[in-house]
Amino acid sequence: MKRTAAELAVAIGARVEGDGAVELRGVAAPERAGPHDLIYVEAAKLAERVAASAALCVIASEGVDITGGSSLVGGSKKTVLRHRAPKMAFAKAAAFLVEKTPIAAPGIHATAIVAPLARIAAGVSVGPYAVIGEDVHVGEGAQIGAHCVIAAGCFIGAACRLHPRVTLYGGVRLGDRVEIHSGAVIGADGFGYAPGEGRYWKFPQAGLVEIGDDVEIGANATIDRGSLDDTRIAEGVKLDNLVHVGHNVKIGAHTVIAAQTGISGSSTLGHHVVVGGQVGIADHCTLEDEAVAGAQAGIPTGKTIRGGQTVWGTPAREIGKFKKIYVWYARLPELAERVKELERRSNEIK
């Protein structure tokens, strides 16, 4: 996947400084890069790393000086691709320079089991011992890894990538270009029970899971099917490893959720929400558009986090208020000693 610097600049919306004919073949960190690897720098304080790199081309923001005398490589200055957001531009560039490793060889492996009524489009790859049930639709160019299980009635869009040992329960629907990493389980029954007569009665889990285009789901993540409604994940959502999404949850477009977060049933997250690692979201909560929940925040049942607000702590509070509380919390041992001293003096006076 070779590109010239000039071709790449057009693709990512950057401005070229220097030789646009430089050939690029991959991406790397500055210290590991070869001459034909692309690198990036966001801050001037990191420019020395770039200057010492063997790479001939770098993405940098407008204010960063890369082309000084110390940045000569083999007698030539580095080509610079100027972009307002170097890290984002680097990520976009990587899509043009780094080819994804195939999950399965072209075609259907001899050990795979494909039901007679499954519909497999052109260019699909199915790995060893995968199982595809009746009435499953697999879109063009999709890749299904070894030991995946796709239950009856699932719909898998074009160019999806299911890594080994992914499980889709019946009726799960994936949009186009969805990537699901190993061990993920999509569409299991939600945790729904009705207490009565001295026991718990299983509540119906009859809904579906619908996942939009360009979603990525991390390893060992779990997404439960809806109860009487559906669980829906909109386009562009990114779920880290070990994230759990409960039944009837709705997650808006381009929301990102870090590892070990749990979202209880019937909660709603808006678009472009950011959720840190190990956050606990109880049932029937709402995180409005562009809200941020810091790592290990605990959001109690029914709470609403307003759009654009950042919260932290348990129970979750606006981050400014949390910091003030935490300052006093850190001083509790000191304050306790002062109270003890005041009590001692009071007793002496008596």
Side-chain angles (χ1 to χ4, degrees), residues 38-305:
L38 179 68
I39 61 176
Y40 81 99
V41 61
E42 287 189 289
K45 65 181 180 180
L46 302 176
E48 288 186 7
R49 293 178 61 205
V50 173
S53 176
L56 294 173
C57 186
V58 55
I59 300 176
S61 56
E62 290 292 343
V64 178
D65 180 15
I66 301 300
T67 57
S70 63
S71 65
L72 296 177
V73 177
S76 301
K77 291 184 177 181
K78 295 186 190 301
T79 296
V80 183
L81 305 183
R82 297 289 183 186
H83 195 283
R84 59 179 177 77
K87 187 173 183 179
M88 180 194 71
F90 184 79
K92 291 173 67 176
F96 292 97
L97 295 173
V98 181
E99 188 172 5
K100 290 185 177 181
T101 303
I103 292 172
I108 299 174
H109 194 274
T111 61
I113 299 174
V114 180
L117 296 181
R119 289 156 293 176
I120 310 297
V124 169
S125 301
V126 181
Y129 300 102
V131 178
I132 299 177
E134 299 286 6
D135 296 315
V136 170
H137 169 91
V138 182
E140 185 174 355
Q143 298 182 48
I144 298 174
H147 295 276
C148 286
V149 177
I150 315 299
C154 289
F155 182 97
I156 298 173
C160 288
R161 289 165 52 88
L162 277 60
H163 291 264
R165 298 188 184 279
V166 166
T167 299
L168 304 186
Y169 279 59
V172 170
R173 301 183 64 83
L174 307 182
D176 296 337
R177 300 174 300 281
V178 174
E179 182 152 9
I180 306 178
H181 292 274
S182 294
V185 178
I186 316 297
D189 282 358
F191 191 69
Y193 298 89
E197 300 177 355
R199 57 169 290 184
Y200 285 93
W201 300 86
K202 187 176 179 69
F203 197 79
Q205 305 296 309
L208 303 176
V209 177
E210 295 183 354
I211 296 175
D213 297 343
D214 300 303
V215 169
E216 185 162 1
I217 298 168
N220 295 314
T222 54
I223 303 173
D224 289 345
R225 69 192 316 106
S227 176
L228 303 179
D229 196 356
D230 295 333
T231 301
R232 296 190 181 94
I233 297 179
E235 65 179 42
V237 168
K238 312 299 181 187
L239 304 183
D240 199 357
N241 302 336
L242 296 167
V243 168
H244 174 69
V245 178
H247 59 213
N248 299 342
V249 167
K250 309 292 187 292
I251 301 179
H254 305 293
T255 285
V256 292
I257 302 175
Q260 298 184 341
T261 286
I263 306 173
S264 297
S266 300
S267 287
T268 299
L269 283 66
H271 67 75
H272 292 90
V273 172
V274 176
V275 180
Q278 296 186 329
V279 170
I281 301 174
D283 59 287
H284 296 86
C285 291
T286 299
L287 279 68
E288 295 180 348
D289 299 342
E290 300 181 344
V292 177
Q296 295 190 328
I299 302 174
T301 296
K303 186 174 179 64
T304 295
I305 308 301

